[in-house]
Amino acid sequence: AAIAMRDGGVVGPAHPTLLVARDGVERPIDDIAAPIRDSQGGIAGVVSIFRDVSEERAATQQLRQLASELSETDRRKNEFLAMLAHEIRNPLAAIRNSVAVLRHSGRDADSAAAAQAAIERQMVHLVRLIEDLLDVARISRGKLALQRERMDLRQALEQALEVSRPLCRDNEQVLDVEIPDRPLYVDGDGVRITQAIANLLSNACKFTPRGGRIRLAVGVENGHAIVQISDNGIGIAAEHLPRLFDMFSQIDTSLERTQGGLGIGLNLVKQLVEMHGGRVEVRSAGIGKGSEF
């Protein structure tokens, strides 16, 4: 007001201003001061206008938050595309080398058999990779429908274990299994529950050192089946836990990382579990201290 009277012009806020009410509530405002002139043009006083800008400030903050989230999503998407190319290139290179071995193996039956086995392993890897990508796309478009029925959860668990045991065996890992002798009936899609459990077991195998231990235990709590998969592997840092199930989430985003993966497996697990009305949680005491899903 003093500046408006002195300079004879409209004066706006030099910085964001808060009005504090008697009850302590803070309200952001814009304020301006303008001179009031008499009939001769002299300054007779000043008018101050205070405008509540709470909604504008909140909208601006929301836009900044949205811009930040979009930027982060775009960054992770670009990392995902780079990893996708890397994940596809490696098995294709192995298949190409095996084809070359087959072409020149002649009558060497052992070399031919080894090459065929390598091709089969890499094809299985590629098929699983593509199936996960397709499932994520179907879920995002609301096109994935569950075929739910009354089923014995133990059957889905055994099928998931069939998929995971060879990987544990190759890594010389101990796989402890605690499944009740009696049936555990749930309302679910057996194929999708198997897929979710197999993904978690596969992750445990990948991120547990050679010779490590993995445990799958099943129980019942308040009418719900509880499946726990724990390991004594590399563990997870506390800052990574809140976003571990986000799409494209990667703890190690370098292409030279020792373990593969596109960062979609855990997101797919979360989506499938929640489609069944369940939830998935993760705990870890930190780096090098294992994890439990």
Side-chain angles (χ1 to χ4, degrees):
I3 296 172
M5 293 183 69
R6 182 192 69 199
D7 298 342
V10 177
V11 181
H15 49 74
T17 306
L18 287 175
L19 285 185
V20 184
R22 287 190 180 93
D23 60 4
V25 173
E26 296 180 345
R27 182 170 286 109
I29 62 164
D30 273 345
D31 57 306
I32 61 171
I36 301 173
R37 297 184 183 277
D38 59 24
S39 58
Q40 285 77 41
I43 297 176
V46 64
V47 59
S48 293
I49 301 174
F50 299 86
R51 188 170 64 90
D52 188 335
V53 292
S54 300
E55 292 184 2
E56 290 94 328
R57 295 276 173 88
T60 299
Q61 183 60 33
Q62 288 176 353
L63 286 173
R64 287 175 180 160
Q65 180 67 23
L66 180 60
S68 175
E69 290 173 357
L70 287 173
S71 175
E72 174 66 11
T73 299
D74 186 61
R75 181 188 66 79
R76 285 161 51 198
K77 179 204 68 179
N78 290 334
E79 289 178 351
F80 165 77
L81 291 174
M83 290 176 190
L84 176 60
H86 186 73
E87 288 288 318
I88 292 176
R89 183 186 65 186
N90 284 348
L92 288 179
I95 291 172
R96 182 181 60 190
N97 292 339
S98 298
V99 169
V101 170
L102 286 174
R103 186 179 295 120
H104 298 97
S105 60
R107 296 184 178 180
D108 187 347
D110 291 340
S111 295
Q116 289 173 343
I119 291 174
E120 184 176 0
R121 284 196 306 273
Q122 299 304 327
M123 288 303 299
V124 168
H125 174 69
L126 282 173
V127 168
R128 287 192 62 188
L129 185 67
I130 293 169
E131 285 178 347
D132 277 357
L133 286 168
L134 289 174
D135 284 340
V136 167
R138 291 188 190 104
I139 291 174
S140 67
R141 298 197 309 268
K143 300 292 186 181
L144 192 146
L146 298 180
Q147 306 298 320
R148 296 175 71 160
E149 60 182 357
R150 187 172 186 264
M151 54 164 286
D152 187 351
L153 179 62
R154 298 179 305 168
Q155 295 177 356
L157 295 171
E158 288 294 347
Q159 290 169 2
L161 287 165
E162 284 181 18
V163 174
S164 306
R165 280 193 174 102
L167 185 56
C168 289
R169 191 162 50 245
D170 291 344
N171 291 337
E172 300 176 0
Q173 294 160 338
V174 177
L175 179 57
D176 297 323
V177 179
E178 298 177 19
I179 298 179
D181 294 331
R182 60 185 179 84
L184 284 173
Y185 291 111
V186 296
D187 174 31
D189 183 326
V191 172
R192 296 305 179 181
I193 292 178
T194 296
Q195 183 179 7
I197 301 298
N199 268 350
L200 291 176
L201 285 170
S202 175
N203 261 17
C205 293
K206 284 181 182 178
F207 297 106
T208 299
R210 184 173 294 276
R213 184 175 292 270
I214 298 163
R215 176 175 175 266
L216 182 147
V218 185
V220 177
E221 185 178 304
N222 297 325
H224 289 78
I226 308 295
V227 180
Q228 294 173 304
I229 297 172
S230 55
D231 61 66
N232 61 352
I234 65 172
I236 306 165
E239 62 267 24
H240 291 302
L241 289 173
R243 304 193 67 174
L244 197 65
F245 294 100
D246 289 357
M247 180 66 75
F248 309 144
S249 177
Q250 287 279 3
I251 293 176
D252 181 1
T253 57
S254 64
L255 293 182
E256 292 76 20
R257 65 203 194 287
T258 57
Q259 298 297 343
L262 293 173
I264 62 175
L266 288 179
N267 179 263
L268 183 57
V269 168
K270 180 176 183 288
Q271 300 269 22
L272 292 173
V273 170
E274 290 180 351
M275 287 174 71
H276 281 84
R279 71 178 188 271
V280 59
E281 301 171 351
V282 59
R283 289 183 285 272
S284 177
I287 298 297
K289 298 182 179 180
S291 58
E292 179 184 56
F293 289 83

